Amino acid sequence: KIRRRKVEVIVQEMKVRPKDDRIQYGIQLCRQMATTPETKPEDLDILSVLSRDPETSVRVHVMRAMGNTGKSACAELIQPALADKHPLVRGAAVEALGKTLGKKATPHIIPLLGDAELYVREEAERLLTLVTGQLLGPEPKPWKEWWDKNKTE
């Protein structure tokens, strides 16, 4: 109950703050998470709210900051952003998911090779190449085939 109340108070405060304050809060929270071994559930709750902020720039910065934590606990918050309406958020989510899940991000990223935006497609291909060490090009089919053969490694 206390945790929920704390999160609700912080969320209400964030709604009236300027976007730059929300960005800074999200970045600071992620920096703190990156330096502590345990991830607090209330921190994830707050990041969840920030990851759905109406401002594109807040969502982009929060995605990047969550990726920089390297914490797999952030992956659940990052994955929905792969379908965000804005390509900059989708691109940031691609990179963040790769940093938090590594090779395990592959099945989540492959569909973005077919994204409507070139930027997102390029980010997806770059990330897949980075986390897998493979050069399979921009088409989803070779990546799907590779993943089917290599997902248990």
Side-chain angles (χ1 to χ4, degrees):
K1 248 183 169 179
I2 292 171
R3 180 182 128 212
R4 178 61 43 206
R5 182 171 274 324
K6 176 184 173 188
V7 170
E8 288 172 2
V9 168
I10 291 171
V11 167
Q12 289 305 315
E13 287 176 6
M14 295 310 262
K15 286 181 180 178
V16 297
R17 291 183 175 248
K19 74 177 179 180
D20 289 345
D21 287 357
R22 296 193 308 272
I23 290 169
Q24 286 305 314
Y25 188 86
I27 290 170
Q28 292 293 36
L29 186 57
C30 288
R31 283 183 183 150
Q32 178 184 334
M33 285 174 61
T35 60
T36 56
E38 187 178 312
T39 303
K40 297 177 188 172
E42 58 267 24
D43 291 347
L44 293 174
D45 291 344
I46 294 164
L47 288 172
S48 174
V49 171
L50 290 171
S51 71
R52 296 185 314 270
D53 194 275
E55 288 284 340
T56 300
S57 60
V58 173
R59 296 192 313 275
V60 168
H61 284 287
V62 169
M63 286 302 123
R64 289 182 180 147
M66 284 194 288
N68 289 338
T69 69
K71 302 257 183 178
S72 60
C74 290
E76 283 184 35
L77 303 177
I78 296 167
Q79 286 178 14
L82 295 173
D84 193 275
K85 64 184 177 189
H86 201 285
L88 291 177
V89 177
R90 294 194 304 275
V94 165
E95 183 175 348
L97 199 61
K99 287 180 174 180
T100 57
L101 293 181
K103 184 176 154 184
K104 292 178 183 178
T106 301
H108 305 286
I109 304 303
I110 290 172
L112 290 162
L113 291 169
D115 194 274
E117 293 288 332
L118 176 61
Y119 165 71
V120 177
R121 293 192 307 269
E122 288 175 340
E123 282 298 299
E125 183 183 358
R126 183 188 65 75
L127 186 275
L128 289 168
T129 300
L130 181 70
V131 298
T132 66
Q134 303 297 307
L135 291 169
L136 301 178
E139 297 300 318
K141 186 178 179 190
W143 288 104
K144 288 177 187 172
E145 291 171 354
W146 181 87
W147 179 248
D148 288 341
K149 292 177 188 172
N150 296 281
K151 61 183 160 189
T152 57
E153 291 179 5

